[in-house]
Amino acid sequence: MAEIDDATLDYLLARAGLAATDAQKTGLKAAYAHVAAMADRVRKPRGRVAEPALTYGFGEDDLG
Amino acid sequence: MSAIPTIAEAAKLIAARKLSPVELTRACLDRVRRLDRALHAFVLVTEERALSDARAAEAAIMAGQPAGPLCGIPIGLKDIVDTKDIATTCQSRILRDNVPDADAACAMKLARAGTVLIGKTTTHEFADGGPSFDLPWPPARNPWNTAHFTAGSSSGTGAGVAAGLILGGIGTDTGGSIRGPAALCGIAGIKPTYGLVSRAGVAPAAFTLDHIGPMAWTAEDCALMLQALAGHDPHDPASASWPVPDYTAQLGAGIKGMRIGVIHHFHEVDHKVSEGTQRGIDAAVTTLRELGAAVSEVMLSPLAEWHACGTLISLTERAAAYEEWARTRLGDFSARVQQRLLLGAMVSGVDYVQAVRRRRELREELRAAMAKLDAVLTAVQPNEAPKIDQVPEWDVGHKPSFTMPFNVAGYPAISVCSGFGEGGLPVAIQLVGKPFQEATVLRIADAFEKATAFRVGRPVLASELATAQ
């Protein structure tokens, strides 16, 4: 299971502009493994050109 | 009134002038007064508005000009739905004094359909986290056993419908927030196709996963409500331009020859459900076969794949929507919502885009799997309702959700009661259709409900009150 060290956790929180309590940081460190596992799961060998869902498809409304 | 009617039953009686909307509304308000101290289904009861709506509906009926089958029907609106001149708190300290100056699109449509607004129903804060005991309003309780959870986030609508405080209501669903409470409260709730019902005026949870839909005692009632709710809205950038069919036209036509795929591995392998839930699913499959459906097995990517995709998108979009308040007023959120917002900071921009790329692949997989099917079936919830004080915190990926796959895909999905499990608590099945095929989903759900006896009994709490009147 992936772990996150204190310095990295503090960096991510600071980058997001969020101030967590010590108790929340403890909870976050435990939950981080699940987030990291999910981030691994969505990475597949799909190459460079596979598009995301919800890319724009311009229609007639855009032409006016 | 001694019995709690369905919307369809009440509509027939009202149209025939055998039931007064005012009388029906007073009966609902009376049940609210007696039961809501135990259920906490409402954040706010709008009694004056309800009686005014009911009188207007009655006048329309007497003038021979009813607005439609919802005329005079008491409903509730989840408290993340904007209501003009009526407080809309999102069950948050941050919006405690918020009074919108306009109705959300769904509120406006239901008002135009002649419904009676009984009040604003309890939600998890901003439709996230929960149950929370650190907010100014208590969480809703399950009418089948008030020591137990309703699921969320449309918890008050679920509890209120099950207990007969309202005949129907609005829920919203980002990862299962209509279908979860519908399942644990033993009612019906449909998450329509993404874009079918306008989100305008409803607080966001995660923009690309958010859906608005009806919750009611039966699938037929959901069809009646969806009829009033569906349709294009230029004020919702994701609103679909799709013709709205008659959702009740196929009800009662049976399901002989329809093709239903069961995603066995979701609930038997990927996230094994309780014995009671499994019994409900097995019995439902038998019933559907007996009704003439051709049932087959469907294989999809493991449930955890869908859950990961949806959860990463959800955490990130929520963090974006609430970033300003998270930075400046984090401590004003409930502890559970704070946890979700903090978790959003753990997801990188690249993680998010990879999730959205995965979403396209998963949706294509479901499209291909359903090419020769009318619907697929799986669980809604893994268990009967847990005790309300035993819902874990920091819970994002421990056990994958059965409902999130169809938010990821945007496909319509309904929860209907499939019996009762441990402790006499309801269990449910989930039926999923192709995009914009809500009529098919409702037809199957309605046939199932009418072939089973699970719509006969209300929670004891509500039944006792009805008998005493």
Side-chain angles (χ1 to χ4, degrees):
Chain A
M1 295 287 271
E3 293 184 0
I4 187 168
D5 59 45
D6 290 340
T8 307
L9 182 65
D10 287 342
Y11 167 75
L12 291 175
L13 290 170
R15 188 182 65 169
L18 301 176
T21 64
D22 288 344
Q24 286 173 327
K25 287 180 184 177
T26 302
L28 265 176
K29 287 178 78 170
Y32 176 79
H34 296 288
V35 176
M38 289 190 288
D40 281 344
R41 275 193 181 279
V42 297
R43 285 169 165 82
K44 302 292 176 190
R46 58 173 69 91
R48 297 190 307 276
V49 298
E51 292 277 347
L54 306 172
T55 46
Y56 281 108
F58 292 115
E60 287 187 14
D61 289 351
D62 300 293
L63 302 176
Chain B
M1 287 192 62
S2 59
I4 302 162
T6 65
I7 292 175
E9 289 166 350
K12 281 181 192 157
L13 292 170
I14 289 171
R17 300 184 185 179
K18 292 179 179 172
L19 174 62
S20 150
V22 175
E23 182 188 343
L24 177 61
T25 298
R26 288 193 191 284
C28 286
L29 289 168
D30 186 52
R31 280 195 285 272
V32 170
R33 272 190 290 275
R34 293 178 185 224
L35 295 177
D36 208 40
R37 279 170 293 185
L39 294 177
H40 308 302
F42 284 91
V43 177
L44 176 70
V45 177
T46 53
E47 181 165 350
E48 279 187 28
R49 161 75 183 266
L51 290 169
S52 170
D53 287 349
R55 288 187 197 102
E58 189 152 302
I61 297 288
M62 297 312 286
Q65 297 171 328
L70 298 185
C71 186
I73 300 297
I75 60 142
L77 297 173
K78 184 175 181 178
D79 201 32
I80 65 166
V81 175
D82 277 357
T83 39
K84 185 182 180 186
D85 299 333
I86 297 172
T88 300
T89 68
C90 299
Q91 199 121 350
S92 178
R93 284 183 199 88
I94 293 170
L95 293 181
R96 189 171 189 161
D97 301 316
N98 176 50
V99 180
D101 56 12
D103 276 337
C106 61
M108 190 185 303
K109 285 190 169 191
L110 288 177
R112 283 181 183 161
T115 60
V116 171
L117 180 62
I118 296 290
K120 304 298 290 291
T121 55
T122 302
T123 171
H124 294 173
E125 185 179 24
F126 291 111
D128 191 19
S132 292
F133 295 90
D134 55 350
L135 290 170
W137 308 267
R141 301 268 176 166
N142 195 313
W144 297 91
N145 184 333
T146 55
H148 288 250
F149 190 34
T150 52
S153 60
S154 307
S155 49
T157 305
V161 168
L165 312 186
I166 44 180
L167 304 195
I170 284 291
T172 67
D173 192 316
T174 304
S177 288
I178 287 174
R179 291 158 289 162
L184 296 194
C185 293
I187 65 168
I190 184 167
K191 178 202 80 66
T193 308
Y194 186 72
L196 183 69
V197 176
S198 174
R199 301 163 306 149
V202 178
F207 304 107
T208 69
L209 297 166
D210 288 345
H211 300 68
I212 317 294
M215 301 169 72
W217 185 246
T218 65
E220 181 182 18
D221 286 358
C222 287
L224 291 168
M225 288 189 70
L226 187 61
Q227 200 69 55
L229 291 164
H232 180 66
D233 178 7
H235 301 295
D236 177 350
S239 183
S241 298
W242 194 266
V244 176
D246 182 344
Y247 294 116
T248 61
Q250 295 181 53
L251 302 185
I255 60 168
K256 191 170 182 181
M258 294 186 83
R259 302 153 303 173
I260 300 172
V262 180
I263 318 170
H264 285 284
H265 68 90
F266 270 15
H267 53 266
E268 292 176 12
V269 178
D270 301 347
H271 187 174
K272 196 166 166 48
V273 298
S274 71
E275 285 182 19
T277 304
Q278 186 64 54
R279 273 199 305 276
I281 292 170
D282 292 343
V285 169
T286 299
T287 300
L288 294 169
R289 277 204 172 102
E290 288 170 354
L291 290 170
V295 179
S296 57
E297 181 167 4
V298 170
M299 298 285 287
L300 295 170
S301 285
L303 198 52
E305 296 279 323
W306 300 81
H307 181 84
C309 175
T311 302
L312 291 173
I313 292 169
S314 177
L315 285 173
T316 314
E317 293 186 2
R318 192 183 321 273
Y322 294 97
E323 181 181 50
E324 182 181 344
W325 287 334
R327 287 180 168 180
T328 58
R329 303 183 63 176
L330 186 65
D332 285 340
F333 289 99
S334 66
R336 285 181 188 269
V337 172
Q338 289 183 50
Q339 291 165 14
R340 300 288 188 115
L341 292 169
L342 291 166
L343 282 164
M346 304 294 109
V347 185
S348 75
V350 178
D351 294 340
Y352 177 79
V353 175
Q354 299 294 20
V356 181
R357 295 172 90 196
R358 183 73 182 127
R359 183 180 200 174
R360 190 179 206 118
E361 295 160 358
L362 290 169
R363 196 165 56 184
E364 172 56 24
E365 182 182 307
L366 183 60
R367 189 197 64 75
M370 289 188 69
K372 294 182 179 174
L373 296 172
D374 296 296
V376 293
L377 183 155
T378 185
V380 184
Q381 288 278 324
N383 313 97
E384 296 83 345
K387 288 200 167 168
I388 197 166
D389 58 359
Q390 292 177 3
V391 179
E393 298 196 356
W394 295 101
D395 185 13
V396 287
H398 305 56
K399 291 184 178 175
S401 153
F402 296 104
T403 43
M404 181 62 93
F406 311 108
N407 296 76
V408 167
Y411 280 37
I414 192 169
S415 171
V416 287
C417 183
S418 59
F420 298 88
E422 190 177 333
L425 293 164
V427 293
I429 54 167
Q430 180 174 206
L431 291 159
V432 183
K434 295 176 183 174
F436 301 107
Q437 299 302 310
E438 280 78 5
T440 300
V441 174
L442 290 160
R443 175 179 170 181
I444 299 169
D446 174 67
F448 173 73
E449 285 181 343
K450 286 175 178 161
T452 54
F454 307 130
R455 296 301 74 203
V456 174
R458 293 271 182 168
V460 172
L461 189 74
S463 302
E464 283 177 350
L465 175 71
T467 306
Q469 284 181 323

